[in-house]
Amino acid sequence: MAKRIEVEDLDIYYGSFRAVRNVSMTIHPRAITALIGPSGCGKSTYLRALNRMHELIPAARVEGRVVMDEQDLYAPGVDPVDVRKHVGMVFQRPNPFPTMSVYENVAAGLRLNHKRIRKSELDGIVEESLRGANLWEEVKDRLGKPGSGLSGGQQQRLCIARAIAVKPDVLLMDEPCSALDPISTHAIEDLMAELKENYTIVIVTHNMQQAARVSNYTGFFNIGGTGEPGELVEIDETPTIFSTPTHTDTEEYISGRFG
Amino acid sequence: MSSIGQDAVQGRRARKRPADQAFRGITTGAGVLILVVLAGVAAFLLIEAWPAFVAPAEEIPGEGGLVLYIWPLVFGTLLAAALALVLAAPLAVLIALFITHYAPRRLAQLLGYVIDLLAAVPSIIYGLWGFTVLAPATLTPTGWLAENLGFIPLFAGPASTTGRTMFTTALVLAVMILPIITAVIREAFLQTPKLYEEAALALGATRLEMIRTAVLPFGGSSILSGSMLGLGRALGETMAVAIVLSASGGITFNLISSGNPATIAANIALEFPESSGVAIDALIASGLVLFAITLVVNMIARAVINRRTDFSGAS
Ligand SMILES: Nc1ncnc2c1ncn2[C@@H]1O[C@H](COP(=O)(O)OP(=O)(O)OP(=O)(O)O)[C@@H](O)[C@H]1O
Ligand SMILES: [Mg+2]
């Protein structure tokens, strides 16, 4: 579980448009890395490049290396499907499968990955994952009900349960709380703090306080101007970034948002 | 501020805006009109068919009265339509999937266009094609079926020598209903929110698995409603069946022999010009039955679709 990722000189293109330029960073295991930066600077683009989700967009491509376990995820012959089994993702909008029950949602990934799985074993993993996502107590009596019948915050935790049920090494989260109320946000933040014991977590957030509260490392992305590629300005331990950042851009962005 | 307040107070006596009122009247009228037309059709069929219900059995064409006259037609109609649906629906799902999830954009657009064109071809053309091209082409396969799979009642044979069989008819009907079913399913697949496809892929689903988890469940009710539309069309199809099917009455599941049950619509088209008196009333009575069948099919479809919406709630 929980693996280190080394990103080396990553460029990401949409067709001929370079959206992200020359990113290198180390993503530490058993820690939360937060990515912050103004809108359009390529945070989502970068995050999705870490599990090759961007390949769904026809013209999108990547140059550079993303190394996990001494394996470049972009090496020829690496199957993006395998990459995504190891690097899970939680999205901005909660997206439990609406045609499936709570139980089936959590089991969905397992049914894909190991076709034959005993019911008792599946029950165990579903419960464990829901407990892991701090949702078990709230849904244990309605496992057979549609997942879309839960509240937004519960749905997002259901999505986290679904993602951790397949036991990935890394969990990517793109603004997982931006559609949620403060209480649900708090629940997810608590959950992240627990999950980092076992996972490598990367989270994109627009919420400075959230980055400061939950993350161990913070990376600041910025963009030169419209049409320019986004780039990583700096990444460091979160307290350092928020107290004594190296770049004035970082300081201005952070203080602007705090002020 | 104060004027809004006044409005709100006046609003209690619901201000009537003339344009709103008029439009509301027009739309209500249109809604009522459709009901009136439907009731009118039913009334017409009932009144015109009435003499056949009360006529003595000997006056009804064939022997044994109205029920024995209509029942084989009902059987033939249902058999042809059901077979066509069984052939067309799976193919429609595959085509829709290909267009929405596999084909490159250009090809997908072209295919979509061709499918829509197919829907616009008049049924008489399908009939002629079935008669001149498809029927002869089925002779070899049906001969083989009769010889090797003859133990299955569907292929008991002996194989027809003209090819104008229930088998050919079902094939023609399948081609005819394919476009409408495909179009409905394709629309639904296109509208599968990216959100759920991404959720499946992020779990490590292959494309096929993604389709199974995130696309097909969404398309479920559209597959049903598309199929019902197709079934409706197949049930009522007249000209193509009249041309292709060489009917001899009778009730049989044997699809490839020369003895085939007729269908209600084709039977009306073929018999009407030469009928008079009670025979016409009997034909109209069979039309009434067809009307009832299509109504029931649609009602069942609605019921099934409604029952499933419980689990398809968009969040
Ligand atoms: N599918 C796409 N095709 C082409 N360009 C895209 C696509 N998605 C994003 N972009 C472009 O890439 C750049 C980075 O977008 P991205 O969504 O990664 O920004 P972001 O930092 O996540 O912004 P936000 O904070 O608003 O979510 C933007 O200029 C955007 O217009
Ligand atoms: Mg984003």
Side-chain angles (χ1 to χ4, degrees), chain A residues 13-15 17-20 36-48 54 57-60 92 174-175 204-206 221 223 226-228 230 253:
Chain A
Y13 296 84
Y14 290 108
F17 170 60
R18 179 154 66 162
V20 174
I36 58 173
S39 195
C41 67
K43 304 177 299 293
S44 300
T45 301
Y46 174 71
L47 195 72
R48 295 162 77 89
H54 72 289
I57 296 156
Q92 183 170 357
D174 194 348
E175 304 185 39
V204 169
T205 178
H206 276 287
F221 280 75
I223 186 170
T226 40
E228 297 287 312
Y253 182 72

Side-chain angles (χ1 to χ4, degrees), chain B residues 3 6 16 19 28 54 84 95 105 121 148 152 175 177 191 242 267 291 295 299 303:
Chain B
S3 80
Q6 270 167 8
K16 306 217 150 116
T28 312
V54 293
I95 295 175
R105 180 120 53 90
V121 174
N148 298 288
I152 303 173
V175 175
I177 64 178
Q191 283 164 13
N267 182 64
F291 182 76
L295 269 188
M299 273 151 58

